[in-house]
Amino acid sequence: MNSELFALREEAKRGRDPACADETLDCLLSLAVQIGAKEILEIGAAEGLTSIALLLAGAERVTAIEKDPARAARARENFVHFGVTAKTTLLEGDAGEILPCLGGTFDLIFLDGPKAQYLNYFPDCKRLLKEGGYLLSDDVLLFGWVRGEPPKKRRMLVEHIREYLDVLQSDPDFSTEIKEFGEGLAVSKKV
Ligand SMILES: C[S@@+](CC[C@H](N)C(=O)[O-])C[C@H]1O[C@@H](n2cnc3c(N)ncnc32)[C@H](O)[C@@H]1O
């Protein structure tokens, strides 16, 4: 990986709302290359580092949704810095409002925004994903809490994720595998 991008990711992994785990990025990149993903959607793009990695690996276009204005501004700067601005569409705002209005279709969707909203975003992700495309949902195991006993303060969030996983794994239009690395990554193929 580009050494500058690597350094920015290391910094972002230490922050609040961190960049995705290395194994998650590796999985995203190899899947994107394997299926020849052209159009990618990232929900919760933070500073745009994953979008940039995907573009440098050969994706044609990334549509990135980010709610936080400071992170969206950093993403814009990073896109310029890495020379990928022309291949990005940055949608600044709440994914819950943006997704229902979004058109087009995507080969790959990386769902990495607010975990409690995954289930609400799912119908739009399904609509926007091409047949044979992949939906990758990050942090679906959350420190092991989703399969174990969450701390009291996290019970509601964990319930949301459990509900999302139930719906995703029982949807006949998707074939889903849960990867254990990072905080858990659901890899779902639209069949
Ligand atoms: C875990 S971070 C994303 C990391 C990024 N995908 C990466 O790999 O570098 C989650 C991001 O979702 C954003 N976010 C939170 N709520 C959101 C919402 N309702 N709509 C869009 N983005 C949101 C946060 O501001 C944060 O940047």
Side-chain angles (χ1 to χ4, degrees):
M1 182 192 298
N2 177 302
S3 59
E4 218 182 334
L5 186 58
F6 180 85
L8 286 172
R9 267 183 52 77
E10 288 306 299
E11 199 185 318
K13 280 194 289 184
R14 289 191 290 271
R16 212 175 139 251
D17 278 331
C20 68
D22 292 343
E23 298 95 324
T24 303
L25 184 64
D26 287 345
C27 180
L28 265 169
L29 293 177
S30 52
L31 200 54
V33 169
Q34 184 193 313
I35 65 169
K38 293 187 169 69
E39 293 281 343
I40 295 178
L41 172 65
E42 183 178 9
I43 302 167
E47 296 163 5
L49 304 177
T50 296
S51 295
I52 292 167
L54 286 161
L55 288 165
L56 296 181
E60 277 181 13
R61 169 157 293 276
V62 175
T63 299
I65 304 178
E66 175 53 48
K67 184 179 180 185
D68 181 75
R71 290 202 181 110
R74 274 303 295 280
R76 231 173 258 118
E77 286 169 18
N78 286 332
F79 292 157
V80 172
H81 185 77
F82 285 92
V84 297
T85 302
K87 295 178 173 179
T88 60
T89 302
L90 179 63
L91 302 173
E92 185 178 333
D94 186 342
E97 291 170 13
I98 292 170
L99 284 170
C101 309
L102 199 58
T105 49
F106 297 88
D107 302 294
L108 196 154
I109 299 178
F110 182 39
L111 177 52
D112 195 20
K115 316 305 159 199
Q117 296 301 319
Y118 280 13
L119 187 56
N120 293 334
Y121 297 168
F122 182 59
D124 283 309
C125 289
K126 189 170 172 177
R127 172 181 62 83
L128 291 164
L129 195 61
K130 280 183 194 161
E131 253 176 54
Y134 282 83
L135 168 65
L136 274 69
S137 316
D138 204 10
D139 303 317
V140 293
L141 297 179
L142 269 190
F143 307 109
W145 297 334
V146 173
R147 288 177 175 162
E149 188 55 41
K152 209 171 172 187
K153 269 167 68 180
R154 296 293 180 182
R155 273 188 202 151
M156 192 61 97
L157 172 63
V158 166
E159 264 323 300
H160 282 299
I161 298 178
R162 284 178 181 153
E163 234 184 297
Y164 172 65
L165 283 180
D166 279 350
V167 169
L168 183 64
Q169 289 177 300
S170 59
D171 190 315
D173 294 330
F174 282 93
S175 149
T176 295
E177 190 187 341
I178 309 285
K179 307 279 189 187
E180 308 277 334
F181 50 65
E183 295 305 332
L185 178 73
V187 178
S188 311
K189 182 176 185 183
K190 189 173 176 184
V191 289

